[in-house]
Amino acid sequence: MAGDKPSVELCKGINGLDKVVLRETRGSSAEVYLFGGQVTSWKNEHGEELLFVSSKAIFKPPKAVRGGIPICFPQFSSHGNLEQHGFARNKFWSIDTNPPQLPSNNLVKTFVDLILKPTDDDIKIWPHSYEFRLRVALTPGGDLMLTSRIRNTNSDGKPFSFTFAYHTYLLVSDISEVRVEGLETLDYLDNLKERERFTEQGDAITFESEVDKIYLSTPNKIAIIDHEKKRTFVLRKDGLPDAVVWNPWDRKAKAMPDFGDDDYKHMLSVEAAAIEKPIILKPGSSRMMSIADVPMYRH
Ligand code: BG6
């Protein structure tokens, strides 16, 4: 409730799964499930939800939850013997009791630190040792910030490479009234055309059919404008050159068991990512990747 002190609480969510609830003084909040290390809710100070989670989402491991912010690691999409979008979104993360020092932002006091490390079975699938530390933070003004730090802890001297995305499902009032700014004139790989490369035209990006594009070397600031809500999400990213824009539209929506037939009208995935050039880490080295989602309103 607005006026309360900021708080971070570990409690039970859907199907008894552990979740952490972050609350800020002015009333904004966020929820993170330890399953998947996945943010599943982000509300502004009026209690309005800002992230899309399907009403048909299945909160049951090992299937990742349809909505919020799944983490795609160590692979975006599917190839080789790794599952689609990697395994991080299907694993149980732990609370990190020994978090690293992050570049300080003294204003941010409401956060949780999670950690994922491989089990012996995981190493059979992806033969690398790593520490993946994720901080989910809420600022006093209600901005949502995610910071990932991935470290290569291989003891055999081997580097590893990975691709990555914060698969953010934004809740929008009506997809046909949404515009994205910051990606015009950029090159993209079209996932609907076997990743053929195209160049976006100068016009504003709007939506009237299925879209699944990987924009390359994008600016660090992308705006998603929801005209009906008079709301703009500003996505700021760091350490992540690419950005995926995805909406399955009606036909693919019907084919997904955990996605409602009309859900596509109310969501847009805009995913800060590193896909075209995989990130290579030598043993002992680490990489930091962050996003900040800022909601802004017109009155
Ligand atoms: C997007 C991809 O990031 O995720 C799409 O670009 C994919 O191709 C979508 O369909 C959903 O993937 P999943 O594995 O969560 O159903």
Side-chain angles (χ1 to χ4, degrees):
M1 297 288 280
D4 286 354
K5 284 200 185 125
S7 66
V8 178
E9 187 193 355
L10 177 63
C11 53
K12 294 288 176 199
I14 298 170
N15 290 333
L17 294 171
D18 288 325
K19 71 173 181 184
V20 177
V21 181
L22 310 177
R23 286 195 184 84
E24 254 302 335
T25 323
R26 284 181 234 157
S28 59
S29 65
E31 292 188 359
V32 192
Y33 274 72
L34 297 197
F35 173 59
Q38 187 161 335
V39 176
T40 54
S41 170
W42 170 38
K43 290 182 180 163
N44 65 15
E45 51 194 60
H46 306 295
E48 294 163 351
E49 182 60 60
L50 304 174
L51 294 178
F52 166 88
V53 175
S54 174
S55 55
K56 290 179 124 187
I58 304 160
F59 282 73
K60 214 172 197 180
K63 175 95 179 77
V65 174
R66 175 71 64 198
I69 313 183
I71 304 275
C72 303
F73 169 84
Q75 168 178 283
F76 177 84
S77 80
S78 58
H79 53 86
N81 61 351
L82 280 178
E83 59 209 89
Q84 155 95 340
H85 288 343
F87 45 69
R89 63 179 182 161
N90 309 326
K91 297 281 178 207
F92 282 93
W93 295 54
S94 308
I95 304 276
D96 187 2
T97 49
N98 187 22
Q101 290 280 342
L102 288 177
S104 68
N105 180 343
N106 293 335
L107 290 175
V108 181
K109 304 244 176 345
T110 307
F111 59 84
V112 60
D113 286 299
L114 302 182
I115 185 163
L116 182 70
K117 291 186 198 177
T119 62
D120 291 346
D121 278 348
D122 295 342
I123 284 176
K124 288 180 198 148
I125 296 165
W126 198 60
H128 298 291
S129 189
Y130 62 88
E131 284 171 358
F132 187 149
R133 294 187 139 95
L134 171 68
R135 173 169 293 185
V136 179
L138 201 55
T139 69
D143 305 347
L144 180 69
M145 293 165 61
L146 272 65
T147 308
S148 292
R149 205 194 60 163
I150 298 172
R151 189 174 150 81
N152 179 337
T153 52
N154 274 338
S155 53
D156 58 6
K158 288 203 180 118
F160 63 65
S161 72
F162 64 91
T163 51
F164 180 92
Y166 288 113
H167 193 315
T168 307
Y169 287 79
L170 294 170
L171 182 65
V172 298
S173 44
D174 175 357
I175 185 68
S176 57
E177 297 288 322
V178 170
R179 194 173 86 234
V180 175
E181 284 182 3
L183 303 174
E184 311 82 359
T185 72
L186 296 182
D187 280 7
Y188 65 88
L189 308 178
D190 196 338
N191 271 329
L192 302 178
K193 294 188 177 137
E194 289 164 356
R195 290 208 178 171
E196 200 181 326
R197 192 177 181 120
F198 296 91
T199 303
E200 194 63 79
Q201 301 306 307
D203 313 341
I205 294 167
T206 53
F207 302 92
E208 51 193 28
S209 58
E210 182 183 4
V211 57
D212 193 350
K213 297 177 177 178
I214 304 168
Y215 289 90
L216 306 173
S217 305
T218 71
N220 282 342
K221 191 174 141 193
I222 298 167
I224 299 97
I225 298 152
D226 185 336
H227 289 290
E228 206 173 301
K229 281 254 190 258
K230 297 191 170 146
R231 178 168 63 209
T232 299
F233 292 101
V234 179
L235 168 66
R236 286 176 201 279
K237 58 189 180 63
D238 203 26
L240 294 165
D242 306 324
V244 181
V245 176
W246 175 64
N247 183 300
W249 222 254
D250 54 350
R251 195 175 49 85
K252 288 233 173 108
K254 289 199 177 84
M256 286 190 281
D258 58 348
F259 195 85
D261 289 358
D262 285 338
D263 277 355
Y264 75 94
K265 294 178 182 164
H266 306 295
M267 57 74 69
L268 181 66
S269 267
V270 181
E271 314 169 31
I275 300 170
E276 189 193 26
K277 297 188 185 94
I279 295 170
I280 300 169
L281 284 183
K282 292 192 201 118
S285 64
S286 59
R287 167 77 175 242
M288 191 129 91
M289 299 155 303
S290 62
I291 51 168
D293 275 309
V294 180
M296 286 162 38
Y297 297 86
R298 268 177 292 128
H299 297 290

